[in-house]
Amino acid sequence: MKDKNLLEIHRLHVSVGEKEILRGVDMTIGRDETHVLMGPNGTGKTTLGYAITGNPIYTVNSGEIIFDGENITDMPVNERAKKGIFLSFQNPLEVPGVTLASFIRSALEQKTGKRLKLWEFRKKLAENMNLLAMDASYADRDLNVGFSGGEKKKAEILQMLMLEPKFAILDETDSGLDVDAVRTVSNGVKLYRERVHGSLLIITHSTRILEALSIDAVHVMEDGVIVKNGGAELVESINESGFSALKPTETDENRGNV
């Protein structure tokens, strides 16, 4: 029987070079849940996402990351990806010479360990691109090269829909998008939750992408620690009063989940 928790982070301390960014983060995310991570700029939200995915630039000094019942704290990035961890980048990189379609197909084959039938892959890719209102021609364009900001973000959500990870981290996926693009991306995220039932950690300053989603928990980070935990109502409180109005309670400081 699988543990009810998909991700457990215990007293995580993470540095970049000699600077410690995360200073004892605790967080628990259950299976089939959507969590939101908010907080002022520069508090360590993106660092937490990279630490979970195993980016080697980020050094775990102490603490542990448990995913699907397994300690992955020292596991390399590619192995974590195979286990079902996905990160949508805040600023997706351009990859000249590799098309969007071939990138996704290669990632799927790495995940499954099997060769994919081209026509089946193309059919599924076209269906998901249509759901995201993406021009079909983007499939054969170099990954993110010449893409607008909105198309880059849609390409990230497309990868998530195709790979169907157990756990997806969306880092500022809605930043720089107009209202229509946010709505399209939000619908893609909602579809992932309904179809895959994977868990989500959404890192955001804005709440527009959250409007179509059912939120299970909200965490607020400041200075490399979680200072407040709550439910969806916490988003409304932040919208009304900002982060400065939030004061951690003893209960908040002693728990990493809701």
Side-chain angles (χ1 to χ4, degrees):
M1 181 178 178
K2 291 185 177 180
D3 189 274
K4 67 176 182 178
N5 294 325
L6 181 64
L7 178 73
E8 296 179 15
I9 298 173
H10 303 297
R11 305 306 300 167
L12 192 67
H13 289 252
V14 175
S15 294
V16 177
E18 297 182 357
K19 183 178 181 180
E20 187 173 61
I21 307 297
L22 301 184
R23 303 184 295 108
V25 172
D26 291 293
M27 182 182 291
T28 299
I29 297 178
R31 298 178 188 277
D32 197 12
E33 289 187 350
T34 297
H35 287 229
V36 177
L37 179 62
M38 305 183 77
N41 286 328
T43 60
K45 302 185 300 297
T46 294
T47 295
L48 178 60
Y50 280 127
I52 294 170
T53 57
N55 188 314
I57 294 175
Y58 298 82
T59 302
V60 175
N61 301 318
S62 62
E64 60 182 11
I65 304 169
I66 308 297
F67 180 71
D68 207 10
E70 182 178 2
N71 191 327
I72 64 167
T73 310
D74 299 317
M75 186 177 290
V77 150
N78 62 318
E79 292 300 322
R80 299 189 199 203
K82 288 180 181 179
K83 289 188 177 296
I85 298 177
F86 173 88
L87 171 65
S88 172
F89 294 98
Q90 183 174 348
N91 298 300
L93 297 175
E94 296 184 358
V95 186
V98 179
T99 68
L100 174 60
S102 62
F103 179 83
I104 295 175
R105 188 182 182 194
S106 176
L108 272 169
E109 290 179 344
Q110 287 288 324
K111 177 185 176 184
T112 62
K114 301 177 182 178
R115 292 287 293 173
L116 300 176
K117 292 182 179 179
L118 182 59
W119 70 272
E120 290 181 349
F121 167 76
R122 280 286 184 172
K123 180 181 178 182
K124 184 177 179 180
L125 183 68
E127 290 172 349
N128 283 309
M129 291 185 76
N130 185 56
L131 289 169
L132 294 172
M134 290 186 72
D135 189 317
S137 67
Y138 277 79
D140 297 309
R141 291 177 57 176
D142 288 358
L143 179 60
N144 294 326
V145 176
F147 287 24
S148 68
E151 294 300 338
K152 287 182 179 180
K153 297 302 177 70
K154 287 182 182 180
E156 293 282 293
I157 301 303
L158 175 65
Q159 292 169 48
M160 181 179 72
L161 290 174
M162 292 293 291
L163 291 168
E164 300 184 344
K166 292 180 183 178
F167 177 60
I169 304 167
L170 306 184
D171 187 6
E172 301 288 354
T173 300
D174 53 346
S175 66
L177 301 183
D178 61 30
V179 174
D180 290 336
V182 169
R183 186 177 296 113
T184 299
V185 167
S186 181
N187 287 338
V189 174
K190 183 180 180 183
L191 179 62
Y192 161 77
R193 287 285 289 117
E194 292 173 347
R195 189 167 72 185
V196 181
H197 295 286
S199 293
L200 275 176
L201 176 61
I202 302 175
I203 302 171
T204 186
H205 289 98
S206 168
T207 58
R208 294 183 302 167
I209 196 173
L210 307 177
E211 292 175 0
L213 301 174
S214 176
I215 306 301
D216 294 289
V218 178
H219 314 276
V220 179
M221 179 177 282
E222 289 189 12
D223 297 324
V225 295
I226 302 295
V227 298
K228 190 77 175 179
N229 296 286
E233 73 283 349
L234 189 52
V235 173
E236 296 302 320
S237 178
I238 292 170
N239 283 338
E240 292 176 4
S241 307
F243 296 113
S244 60
L246 299 176
K247 293 185 178 181
T249 64
E250 183 178 351
T251 301
D252 291 317
E253 292 174 343
N254 289 330
R255 68 178 182 176
N257 61 307
V258 178

